Each structure stands twice: as C-alpha cells, then as structure tokens.
Amino acid sequence: MKKNYGMARIVSLGLQHVLVMYAGAILVPLIVGGALHLSSNELAYLVSIDLLTCGIATLLQSWKNRFFGIGLPVVLGTSFVAVTPIIGIGTQYGMGAIYGSIITAGIFILIFSPFFGKLAKLFPPVVTGSVVTIIGVSLVPAGIKSMAGGEGTPHFGDPENLLLSFGVFIFILLINRFFHGFIRTISVLLGIIAGTIVAAFMGKVDFTNVAQASWFHMPELFYFGAPSFEWGPMITMTLVGIVIIIESTGSFFALSKICEQNMNEQDLVLGYRAEGLSFILGGLFNAFPYSTFAQNVGLVQLTNIKTRNVTIAAASLLVLLGFIPKIAAFTTIIPTPVLGGAMIVMFGMVVSSGIKMLSSVDFGQQSNLLTVACSVALGLGATVVPDLFSKLPQFMRILVGDGIVTGSLTAIILNLFFNLSSKKKPTVSSTLETTIES
C-alpha cells in the first residue's frame, strides 16, 4: 500500500538521498580537476555544474514517458568508470576532446538503445542476482576506507575516525531497531547529522569551504571551450558508455525487484535513452558521464520508500545546490568517517538485495553455482587488486578494469555458456520471464 508523505517529509527523504550520494558526486570532479591542473575557479565551476547535471539527469531518468526514462526511484551521479579515461584524454588531447567524446558516447547510446535493450535476455535471475551482489561487494572496500578516514589521508585508521564511523553505523542500526515509521526511514540522514555534530565537538569539521563559496553560479555551455572530436577519445568514451550501461542494468533490475515493478525490454530501452541524454547533457555543459548510483539503490532497500517523489525531490535539491554553491559547500563539511559509517550500511543493503534476488535461483544446478561463484570472485578480485589487468591494452582495461564490469561480464558469459551447452537447462528467455514475474 502506498503512503502519502507531506512536502516536508518528501524533502527530508530527498535530502537523505543527496547526502548518501554527495561524496561520490563531488569526488570525481575533484579528482579530474586536480589531475588536469584546473584553477580554483574552474574547479568550483566543475563541482557546481556536476551537481546541477546530476539533478537534471536524475529527473530525465525518473520522468518515464514514451521516449525516455526508466520510471524507477533512481539517483544518477558521475560514473567513476570514466575517471581514468577522462584524465588520459584531457592530458593528451585537451579539454575539448573530453567533451566531444562524451557527446559522441551519448549519441551512440541513444542510437543503439534498442540493441542494448536486448540485454534483458542476458539477465536471468542467476545473472541479475550475481551482478547486484557484485555491485554491493565491490563498493564495500570504498566504504571501509571511508570509515578509516579516507585512503591516503595522514590519519587513516585513527581511533577517532573509527569511533565516529562505528558510532554512526551503530546509531543507524539503533534507529532501525527501536523506531518505526518516518523516523526509521530517515535513519541514515539522522546518523549523518548526529555524526557531524559529534565530529564538530572533536574539531573535525572545517567551515573554510563554506566561507569561500559564492552565493550564485550560472551554468554555461562549453565553459572549457568548444568540443573537439578525435577518433581515439571518441572510441574510448564509447567503450566507457557501454560499461556504464552494464552497471546501470544491474541497478535497474535491483530497483525493479525492490519496487515490485515488472521491467521489460522496452523499459530498459527508455532507461538507456535517458542515460544517453545525460551523457550529451554532461558534454554540452562540460560535466561528466552519468550512471545510476548503487548506494541510492541500497537506501531504497533500507527505507522501503519506493516513490519517485523522493528521488525527484533529491534531483531538485541537486539542481538547487548547483545554482547556489554556498549551500552546496555545507555538505562538504561532513567528515569522511561519518559518511563511511553510513556508506557501509548502504553498500551492505545492495549486497543483501542481490542475495535476495539469488534466492529464486535453483542451486541444485552446478552451472548456477559456478556462475555465481566465478562472477563474484572475479568481480571482488578486480576490485581489491585493481592492477590485475594493468598490463592489458587500454581498450581492454576499460572493459575489464572495473570489478563490477568484470564480474558482470563473467556472469553473462558463463550463463550463456552453460545454457547453450545443454538442452536440458532453461532458456535465457524463460529465465527472463521468471525474473519479470518474480
């Protein structure tokens, strides 16, 4: 039964989504901007425009119509898969080539979305469950590093960081144990607020960014110059787009399962078109490629709030933050360990969602056991040992250098291999029907 929430509650639930994804949303522009030696003003623009386009991309994906939009409670953010390729393109070809390649990738996704829609046939329950589990498991190390203070920081693993992160973690669990209704649904938001207040008393909150941030920001087309179209960057970013499509497909299936909404091939096509439009939007405003954020999928699973009104509110807040950097800067004061305590709950919920999807799989078949075992093992392995494929050619590293993609491709290939090699096993199309019906 659907619940009706007042505007204040919807906004607070939307804010919770924003805080969960915010660190990931601003981390990519900070990394890319630093690597490309952007000035402080250029970096401020990059962060602001990224937030704005995150919000618009989320609205495009949430607004389901006959042309585009998955129509699920999704939140889109900057894809980490694109970080290394973008830095490489920017270093070798310049900023214009970055955005020319992103626009090209978006157009490619738009044109070939009907073909990508047939990916549904490659995602029976054993594959969807494996992919969602891999997404969650692959994200857990990032959450753990944040709990310790952030990889590479001088105080990594400091007892104060662990105290903060585990305090937030336990606080969220206590709210879910002893409270019900609306308070339970905003447990992550309350945990982050409480953790930040405690961190302020510990001297771990810095308001410098808030003081220096401007009050208003106006987006500009081609802020870093007109796009240029080079074959190498365009091919590279198109491969990145394919990888992002594979990742988002897992999130789409997870959300459709959580929301108990049947999803068919045409739904996927609409979702891919929205992501293609988001790419083009990122290229025009000199931002980034966008994908569905798994941590927000975990938040939907945890809160059991499945209405798109909440994620639309989150998108509206992101757009507002993009126009008013002063407000956006307040979210940067949240210490990394505080976010880590919340992230580990979110990523764990993605894992549990994947395990739940796997519960419908017949593990009496050895082929299903091997598919899950090998895909999860390789996905996790590529995540914790990122140099595993470092000696491969660049185009291959893009395809398999990300643990989520490595594991997903393994699950898809093994499922096809075992199904095509035995006539006694269920067909891919019949397993897809099982996924949709369940």
Side-chain angles (χ1 to χ4, degrees), residues 104-123:
T104 301
I107 294 172
F108 176 85
I109 294 171
L110 271 180
I111 294 173
F112 288 94
S113 55
F115 170 77
F116 291 130
K118 298 187 183 300
L119 285 174
K121 297 177 181 178
L122 305 179
F123 282 82

Side-chain angles (χ1 to χ4, degrees), residues 67-284:
F67 300 109
F68 59 82
I70 195 68
L72 293 168
V74 298
V75 175
L76 273 69
T78 311
S79 174
F80 282 86
V81 176
V83 171
T84 301
I86 284 177
I87 292 173
I89 292 170
T91 302
Q92 185 173 354
Y93 295 92
M95 297 292 287
I98 294 175
Y99 300 111
S101 66
I102 293 175
I103 292 171
T104 301
I107 294 172
F108 176 85
I109 294 171
L110 271 180
I111 294 173
F112 288 94
S113 55
F115 170 77
F116 291 130
K118 298 187 183 300
L119 285 174
K121 297 177 181 178
L122 305 179
F123 282 82
V126 66
V127 175
T128 56
S130 298
V131 170
V132 175
T133 303
I134 292 163
I135 290 174
V137 169
S138 299
L139 291 171
V140 166
I144 294 294
K145 291 173 184 177
S146 294
M147 292 180 77
E151 187 175 17
T153 57
H155 300 291
F156 184 85
D158 190 279
E160 288 188 347
N161 292 337
L162 297 179
L163 179 65
L164 268 177
S165 58
F166 277 101
V168 171
F169 175 74
I170 294 170
F171 187 78
I172 293 172
L173 294 180
L174 289 174
I175 291 177
N176 279 274
R177 171 63 180 85
F178 294 108
F179 290 87
H180 300 278
F182 180 67
I183 297 297
R184 175 185 284 182
T185 62
I186 60 169
S187 60
V188 173
L189 174 61
L190 295 177
I192 291 174
I193 293 174
T196 303
I197 292 173
V198 172
F201 283 105
M202 298 170 65
K204 291 183 173 292
V205 175
D206 185 2
F207 290 92
T208 303
N209 289 339
V210 179
Q212 294 178 347
S214 59
W215 278 104
F216 183 74
H217 158 87
M218 192 66 189
E220 299 178 31
L221 283 173
F222 309 131
Y223 178 87
F224 292 106
S228 61
F229 298 92
E230 307 282 348
W231 280 108
M234 287 192 297
I235 293 172
T236 298
M237 197 57 64
T238 298
L239 290 174
V240 169
I242 294 172
V243 169
I244 290 173
I245 286 296
I246 295 173
E247 283 189 339
S248 293
T249 301
S251 297
F252 292 161
F253 275 111
L255 275 172
S256 68
K257 184 74 173 180
I258 294 169
C259 298
E260 300 176 346
Q261 292 185 24
N262 294 337
M263 188 168 64
N264 55 33
E265 181 178 314
Q266 184 58 28
D267 292 325
L268 287 177
V269 172
L270 295 175
Y272 298 148
R273 283 178 184 164
E275 297 225 348
L277 289 173
S278 299
F279 269 63
I280 295 172
L281 182 73
L284 293 175

Side-chain angles (χ1 to χ4, degrees), residues 119-135 249-250 253-254 257 351 353-377 404 406-420 425-436 438:
L119 285 174
K121 297 177 181 178
L122 305 179
F123 282 82
V126 66
V127 175
T128 56
S130 298
V131 170
V132 175
T133 303
I134 292 163
I135 290 174
T249 301
F253 275 111
K257 184 74 173 180
V351 176
S353 180
I355 294 173
K356 184 178 178 180
M357 296 172 74
L358 287 171
S359 64
S360 64
V361 175
D362 179 12
F363 284 111
Q365 295 188 35
Q366 183 73 5
S367 60
N368 287 336
L369 287 171
L370 285 171
T371 299
V372 176
C374 295
S375 60
V376 173
I404 296 173
T406 300
S408 300
L409 290 176
T410 302
I412 292 170
I413 292 170
L414 287 180
N415 174 69
L416 289 174
F417 171 73
F418 286 121
N419 279 316
L420 291 176
K425 305 236 177 126
T427 63
V428 177
S429 59
S430 65
T431 49
L432 172 62
E433 291 174 4
T434 303
T435 302
I436 294 175
S438 62

